[in-house]
Amino acid sequence: MPEKPTVLLTNAMHPDGEAILAPHVSLIVPPDARPETLRNFAGDADGIIVRAKLPDDIVDHAPRLKGIVRHGVGLDFIPVAAATAHGIAVANLPGSNTNAVAEYVMSALMYLRRPLYRLDKSLRSDGWNTARPAADSFTELSTTTLGILGVGTIGRHLAGIARGGFGMKVLGTSRRKGSLPAGIEEVSLADLFARSDAIAVCCALTDETRGMVSRDLIGRMKPSALLVNVSRGAVIETPALIDALKSQKIGGAALDVFDVQPLPSNDVLFDCPNLLLTPHTAGITATSGRAMAVGSAEEMLRILRGEQPLNLVNPAYKAA
């Protein structure tokens, strides 16, 4: 890197990551992550570190671009095919937020199954004798069944927590039959939804998984079953989930991802009962944030030095 290259951060990141980059590059953090803003700032960028969705045509506005690094795992924020065609390396950070997402799933299940916040509120407002009886309706996770849709890095880690920490039985489904680790019973997608007391959607968004959690599958769920989505909003047929929640055909749900993000303030999801909503933060904690910032900074410097990143996702870029 004879001259200081320029790196565009779609959003500010943990200071430790920026500190790694600062001696070697000029950092640009735009005022917002709107598509037109990112296009405007991309013109001078040699690298982009991605925390917000890039416009599909970003590479057409970035003639100097050598590398794009995902501050995280999911690649749907990056036009990988276009980057490859333009000879731009793309890297991500598999495993960087695995524990954070797995803990989110278990936290969501506890929130829905044993909502201690209700006892706290009742105790403060109504007193001891009124608050205590509410606990009789709470249920435990132990001895119940967790179904995992997408048994990749996150799904496997989640299975270990569910089995080892809570004593849950774990079911899973995979595109590659016979590939699931010991301790996860491999079942069909229909059986996963019919037999599980809680279902965690952890798969990547692809053409195959888009709309996979259909009205038919939701209709197979137990009346008390829970659904947690830490994948992408488009994996679930949202109108079917809304109908199931409003008609109380399932026990509840937790959604961290949505068809449209940010979630509009007037969205019908806000009116659904037994629904936990969070703003795409399952993988975000102080711990994972630092790990992703440091990892993405180090990957970006490798690319700018002409080295291969540790987690290159498009090796065909070299042929472009």
Side-chain angles (χ1 to χ4, degrees):
M1 293 186 290
E3 299 180 4
K4 262 195 172 185
T6 297
V7 172
L8 171 65
L9 309 179
T10 63
N11 308 80
M13 62 184 188
H14 193 284
D16 288 357
E18 295 190 13
I20 290 171
L21 290 168
H24 308 287
V25 307
S26 297
L27 288 175
I28 298 177
V29 182
D32 57 68
R34 292 181 299 168
E36 57 270 27
T37 303
L38 296 179
R39 290 188 188 101
N40 289 337
F41 280 90
D44 296 326
D46 298 281
I48 303 177
I49 294 179
V50 178
R51 294 190 68 188
K53 189 180 186 315
L54 296 177
D56 291 339
D57 62 350
I58 191 70
V59 298
D60 296 329
H61 298 265
R64 294 168 41 178
L65 196 59
K66 299 179 180 66
I68 302 174
V69 178
R70 177 70 166 97
H71 183 285
V73 181
L75 294 170
D76 54 312
F77 281 8
I78 299 172
V80 177
T84 303
H86 284 74
I88 299 166
V90 178
N92 69 343
L93 303 172
S96 57
N97 60 5
T98 295
N99 190 68
V101 177
E103 284 191 3
Y104 172 96
V105 173
M106 299 311 299
S107 297
L109 294 181
M110 291 295 290
Y111 175 95
L112 293 165
R113 281 280 185 246
R114 199 170 184 184
L116 302 182
Y117 69 94
R118 293 183 185 173
L119 298 183
D120 175 82
K121 182 179 179 179
S122 181
L123 176 60
R124 293 171 186 272
S125 62
D126 304 319
W128 183 279
N129 291 331
T130 300
R132 273 180 63 88
D136 290 336
S137 64
F138 295 173
T139 57
E140 300 176 27
L141 298 180
S142 177
T143 73
T144 65
T145 297
L146 174 66
I148 301 177
L149 174 54
V151 190
T153 303
I154 290 172
R156 290 171 184 239
H157 189 62
L158 173 60
I161 295 173
R163 290 176 58 246
F166 290 85
M168 300 181 78
K169 178 180 178 62
V170 180
L171 309 179
T173 184
S174 175
R175 289 176 299 172
R176 294 180 294 119
K177 301 305 178 186
S179 64
L180 299 187
I184 303 178
E185 181 185 347
E186 186 169 353
V187 297
S188 68
L189 197 56
D191 281 348
L192 184 89
F193 275 76
R195 292 175 53 189
S196 299
D197 298 293
I199 298 163
V201 182
C202 306
C203 59
L205 176 61
T206 65
D207 290 340
E208 182 182 357
T209 62
R210 187 178 298 274
M212 177 178 282
V213 182
S214 63
R215 185 174 297 274
D216 175 69
L217 286 178
I218 293 172
R220 295 173 184 267
M221 292 173 62
K222 298 177 181 179
S224 60
L226 307 175
L227 181 66
V228 180
N229 188 12
V230 291
S231 170
R232 290 293 184 265
V235 173
I236 291 179
E237 190 178 332
T238 303
L241 177 61
I242 291 170
D243 290 345
L245 288 167
K246 288 194 169 185
S247 61
Q248 298 184 346
K249 291 181 178 178
I250 64 173
L255 302 179
D256 186 56
V257 286
F258 308 93
D259 296 323
V260 176
Q261 294 188 183
L263 185 66
S265 60
N266 62 346
D267 197 283
V268 68
L269 285 168
F270 287 106
D271 296 325
C272 290
N274 299 321
L275 176 60
L276 170 65
L277 300 172
T278 54
H280 202 162
T281 52
I284 299 177
T285 64
T287 306
S288 67
R290 182 187 182 280
M292 290 186 284
V294 169
S296 58
E298 292 174 343
E299 287 285 65
M300 180 56 70
L301 291 180
R302 290 187 188 97
I303 293 172
L304 295 177
R305 288 194 298 259
E307 303 170 6
Q308 180 164 305
L310 299 182
N311 297 295
L312 180 68
V313 301
N314 66 334
Y317 87 95
K318 292 183 178 181

